[in-house]
Amino acid sequence: MADNCWILVNAETGALWDNGDLQPHFRSSDDAAKETEPGWVPRQREQSCLFVECGCPDCTEMFDESGEGYIVHFDNAADASTVTEAEWTKHPDGTYRCVACSPGGDCDCLTAPASHQSGEAS
């Protein structure tokens, strides 16, 4: 999904916050504010960000780099496809599946045929 995401900037210098590995982006100013350290404030980016969400029914997993709780944004779909390097899978319909919902994962949505999940009788 595409939204203008939020970043953290230094209130005095305008420098962008970087945790050493990545520059975290957040889905809302409230989410960004939870992560702030003294002197850092949320600011909304002027361009959209792409967030990768698991397309498996009832799964709300968002791609979270390094498991640090930061939802990772991408600037374009080609960049977003790199989630497969983190063991997410891409399905023929273009959606992604988190590690648990990928082949070999333990997601409940993999245990029943699709017709049963949608309530159709077999």
Side-chain angles (χ1 to χ4, degrees), residues 56-92:
C56 197
D58 300 322
C59 183
T60 58
E61 187 75 22
M62 300 287 288
F63 183 69
D64 170 5
E65 189 168 83
S66 304
E68 294 192 25
Y70 300 116
I71 297 171
V72 179
H73 89 103
F74 300 94
D75 290 322
N76 56 58
D79 288 348
S81 69
T82 62
V83 301
T84 57
E85 295 171 11
E87 299 181 24
W88 282 51
T89 56
K90 186 171 184 179
H91 281 232

Side-chain angles (χ1 to χ4, degrees), residues 8-10 15-19 22-24 26 35 37 40 70:
L8 295 171
V9 297
N10 186 287
L16 303 178
W17 186 52
D18 185 325
N19 72 4
L22 58 100
Q23 182 188 77
F26 304 89
E35 298 296 327
E37 308 231 354
W40 297 90
Y70 300 116

Side-chain angles (χ1 to χ4, degrees), residues 54 56 86-91 96-107 109-110:
C54 181
C56 197
E87 299 181 24
W88 282 51
T89 56
K90 186 171 184 179
H91 281 232
Y96 291 92
R97 299 294 190 266
C98 68
V99 175
C101 298
S102 294
D106 59 1
C107 179
C109 67
L110 297 177

